[in-house]
Amino acid sequence: MKKTLFLSATLLLAAGAARAQVDTVRATTLPPAQLAEKLYNSGVAKYNQKSYRAALQDFDRALAAKPDFAKAYYNRAAVRYELKDYQPAVQDYDQAIKLDPSTFGSYFGRAQAREALKQPAEAEQDYGKATELKADYAPAWYYRGALRFEKADYQAAKADFDAAVKADPTYAYAWHDRGSAQRQLNNLPAAIQDYTQALKLQPELLPALLNRAATRRRAGDLKGALQDYNDYLAKKQDNALAYTNRGSTRFEQADYKGAVEDFSKAVALDASYAFAWNNRAAAYLKLEDYQRAEADATKAIALNAQYAEAYLNRGHAREMLRQPDAACQDWRKAAELGLEIGNTHAANSGCGAE
C-alpha cells in the first residue's frame, strides 16, 4: 500500500514539473520513428542552408534510428553529392531505390552522381528511368540528351531535347543544345531558330550567340554571323576563339585588314593558338605582306609540327620571297601531311623531284 502511494506521489510530482516548464519533449524520449523524422527535418533545413556536414550528421542519426527510411537515404545522397563524395552518394541512392523504387528523384540523383564518376552509360540508363517515372521532368530528358550528344548520337539527342522543351518550353539550355544537335544533323535553319529561341529566353546565354554565328556562317549568312560575333565580343573580350571566328568571317568577306586585327587579338589572348597564327598568315598573304605571312606560318608550325595548312601557307610566302627551294620543301611537307594540293603547287612551280 505504501509503495502504491509512493508511486502516485512520484507521478504527481513529475506531472507538476512538466506543467512548470516549456511544453517541449526531449528528443531522447521520442519513439525511433518520430526521432528519425525530427532529425530528418533538421537535416533538410541544414541542407537548405548549405551546412552540408551538419546535415550529414542529422541524416546519419535519422538512419540509425530508422534504417528503412528511404527519404533519409535520398537526402543523405544529395548531401554527399554536394560534398563530392560521389560513390557513397550512389550507394545511398541504391538504398533509396531499393526501399522505394517508384521515386524518380533517386534515379535522377544517381544519374548525376554516376556522371561525376565518369560512368556515362549507367547515368544514361538512370536518366531514362527517371523519364519513365516522370515524363514531364525536363532536366532528365535534357541531361540524357547531353550524354547522347557527347557520344555523337545526334538524332537520339535531338529527340531528348524535343521532350525537354515540350516538358518545359522555358528551358533555354534545352533549346540551345537542340540547336547544336540540329547543326550536327545539318538542319541549319532549324538550328538557327533554336539558338534564337534560347536567346529570347535567356539573353545572356552567350554561347548561343557564338553558336548561332557559326551556324549562320556555315549557312552562308556572313552578315548575320558577323553581327552575332560583334554582339558577343561587345560583351566578352577574353575569348580567343570568338576573335578567330570573327576574323575568319571577315576573311571570307575579303576584309583582310579586319581579319588581321581579329587574329592579332586572338594570339594576344592565347599565344599558343596555332590556328590563329596560321589564319593571320593567310590574311597577310592576301595583303601581300609576305614577310609577316612567313613569320606567322613558321610560328604555327613551331606550335604544331603536323599542321599541313601552315606548311602550305609558308610555301606560298616563301615562293613570293624568292625562296623556291624552301617553298618546294613546305609544299611537299603539306602533301605528306595529307594536303594533296601541296604536290600540285610543287609541280606547277617546277620543283621537280627530290
Side-chain angles (χ1 to χ4, degrees), residues 174-329:
W175 286 100
H176 173 273
D177 285 17
R178 189 174 75 171
S180 295
Q182 300 270 30
R183 183 172 149 199
Q184 291 293 338
L185 293 167
N186 208 35
N187 301 328
L188 302 184
I192 291 168
Q193 289 177 355
D194 281 348
Y195 290 135
T196 300
Q197 182 62 24
L199 286 163
K200 285 181 180 177
L201 292 166
Q202 194 170 326
E204 296 306 310
L205 188 57
L206 296 185
L209 264 180
L210 213 53
N211 285 324
R212 189 174 68 180
T215 308
R216 282 175 162 169
R217 180 182 163 207
R218 184 171 156 189
D221 180 9
L222 298 181
K223 182 178 179 181
L226 187 60
Q227 185 59 59
D228 279 346
Y229 285 128
N230 289 343
D231 290 345
Y232 178 91
L233 288 165
K235 297 176 181 179
K236 189 173 177 61
Q237 295 84 41
D238 62 350
N239 189 331
L241 175 63
Y243 281 112
T244 299
N245 286 346
R246 188 174 71 174
S248 296
T249 305
R250 287 175 162 172
F251 186 96
E252 290 168 14
Q253 291 180 312
D255 177 10
Y256 303 121
K257 289 183 179 179
V260 165
E261 290 175 5
D262 278 342
F263 297 138
S264 296
K265 288 176 181 175
V267 297
L269 287 168
D270 183 0
S272 66
Y273 196 179
F275 188 77
W277 287 103
N278 179 63
N279 281 8
R280 193 170 71 172
Y284 278 136
L285 282 171
K286 290 291 187 179
L287 293 169
E288 300 181 1
D289 190 340
Y290 304 119
Q291 200 73 48
R292 285 195 173 100
E294 184 198 23
D296 278 358
T298 298
K299 178 66 175 179
I301 291 166
L303 292 166
N304 179 5
Q306 305 303 306
Y307 200 165
E309 289 82 357
Y311 285 104
L312 193 71
N313 284 333
R314 191 171 69 175
H316 295 329
R318 286 176 165 176
E319 179 187 36
M320 300 308 295
L321 291 170
R322 305 294 186 267
Q323 300 172 17
D325 292 341
C328 288
Q329 287 179 353

Side-chain angles (χ1 to χ4, degrees), residues 159-172:
D160 279 348
F161 296 138
D162 287 344
V165 298
K166 180 180 178 181
D168 181 3
T170 68
Y171 201 160

Side-chain angles (χ1 to χ4, degrees), residues 145-168:
L147 284 175
R148 288 175 165 179
F149 185 94
E150 288 173 8
K151 66 179 185 179
D153 190 353
Y154 302 120
Q155 196 64 55
K158 178 188 171 297
D160 279 348
F161 296 138
D162 287 344
V165 298
K166 180 180 178 181
D168 181 3

